[in-house]
Amino acid sequence: MKHPFQCLLICPSQDCSGSGCLLAAAASYIYTFSLDNQVLLSTWPQREDQPNDISDGLNGNQDEGSTKRSPAFDPDKEPQELVGKKRKISHPIDSPENYTVKEKSLKGFQKPTTPGEPDVIRLISTTSGRHVVAVSGQDKCIRVFELQSSGVLKLLSERCMTKRPSAILITSNDERILCADKFGDVYSFPLLFTQSKGVSTDALSLGEEELNAPKKAFVPAATHLTVHTARNQRTLQEQLKRTNQVSEKTGLTFEHQLLLGHVSMLTDIAQVSLEGLDAPQGKRRSYIITSDRDEHIRVSRGQPQAYLIENYCLGHTDFVSKICVPSWRPRTLISGGGDDYLMVWDWVLGRVLQKVNLTAEVQSVHPTNSGKETPFDDSSPVLNLTEQTLGGNAKSLPHTEDRRNSSHRLDGLQIAVSGIWAVPHSDNCGQNEESRAGAQAGEVLVACESVPAIFCFDHSAEGALTFRQTLSLAGNPLDVAMCKATRSINVAIDNVHKPGTTRILRNNQGNAFMQRFVKLSQAESRSWVKDDRSVSAINLQGSFEMTDQQMKVLPDLLYGIRNLRKRGKEEDSVS
């Protein structure tokens, strides 16, 4: 079977001569397609089974860094030839003989040392689409590319974080990257390296000095005085028994700034600037909004006052996985996660404006409604409408408007929101108060993990969400990319596992790597219509054949939102 595309990104055309490029990540490879003719422009890094004339781009001339990965990621090497243990040591991406010590410091690269090919977990770009940022999970590395006019990706820098990035964004001025990690910290660092902002030569030798220094004994940060739950106490006892463990702490060796921190894993981050009537006291001010695993949404000041907390948006009872601020109404925040509802906020005041239940929408696309018995999650039959789940009523809820308005929540249903995207009805939304008042606001698209559909909601200028349409998909959605030029969206599809499941394989994979939907005009009711012919050549091309090991770890790469859900309360009680 071929590997599905887990990440999508659409970048506008550099010379405004076409619709732009579609970037699709499959495992550790990034494919670049033309949106106009669906031609494969390049692949990074270059695959051995790919013709050189395709990988070299349309102009047939590019730098070596455009298609080749650093030596640590040579696919020809056997596992024993690679470094077997992660170490945060600063090195240049290229071989040492190619750079002097001064040139190494100006590059600011940290060489990833994780064995194997690191999977891409996030793709973002600048407003112009000139620069692309890719995040990989295993090596905790953030790579910055230049997207050339030919569609070829040229690698500019690699920076490895000490903790795995969980969310990332590029600031509105396209100058800095904000990175949130799984330990709750948010860092800021420049998008591009310059000579005046490079790291010092002392930082390059820091890793070698720490490597040769005597190791300190490991001491847990927690104590019996700070741990109160039974589960954490057991974990602390296990840590105290590890007498042979050493402490290995190394800092980042490139220019960075720690902005803020949570006490829980961060799940998403957004940056918003308010001015005019939207801003408190009418003063222009920027904010950083972060969400975490502990049901919190925090509003902090923007740089350089990110340490100041403005308020919290509290109301979720489970983890918050995604947050979204529509451009046409920047004071409104839409959040979702492990609860069976979305929440609409006035985040400036920390006030809930609306709760939108997703249970009816999720039930409406479940395969059991059409006579099939395929559950959403093969690990737990989520929506198996039995006598037990319906409290004695073995009949399924009818597929009618009454069902949609029903507030009945099935005991086995565990919704996990995996994506929220804001789609404006017009390109001038969000420019100023006059344009927002005259525009028809926009739509909000919502995806839930292992649910084969996209749910569309109208978002009015007043901030209310109203359900409009369900886009049924050929498989579970993995990512969504929007194209403003063609008023369309591309949806990456899991064509390996059966729709509604995360581990049951299909009998036949098929060619549905992605689906495309086009937005009709206002005169045509603004509905989304399927247009799979525009991606037929991309689906025919696909990605690459997976190995047995890649098949084994594929569910962990594609589905990780539900893992944010905490264990039962009985384990958290003190014994």
Side-chain angles (χ1 to χ4, degrees), residues 1-23:
M1 288 187 173
K2 290 188 175 182
H3 200 290
F5 297 124
Q6 72 266 14
C7 296
L8 294 182
L9 175 67
I10 291 180
C11 295
S13 175
Q14 298 294 322
D15 52 6
C16 300
S17 60
S19 301
C21 297
L22 169 66
L23 278 68

Side-chain angles (χ1 to χ4, degrees), residues 295-297 313-320 335-339 341-343 345:
E295 308 98 33
H296 300 145
I297 300 175
C313 298
L314 304 178
H316 283 278
T317 58
D318 215 317
F319 64 87
V320 183
S335 61
D339 299 309
Y341 51 80
L342 300 175
M343 298 193 73
W345 307 82

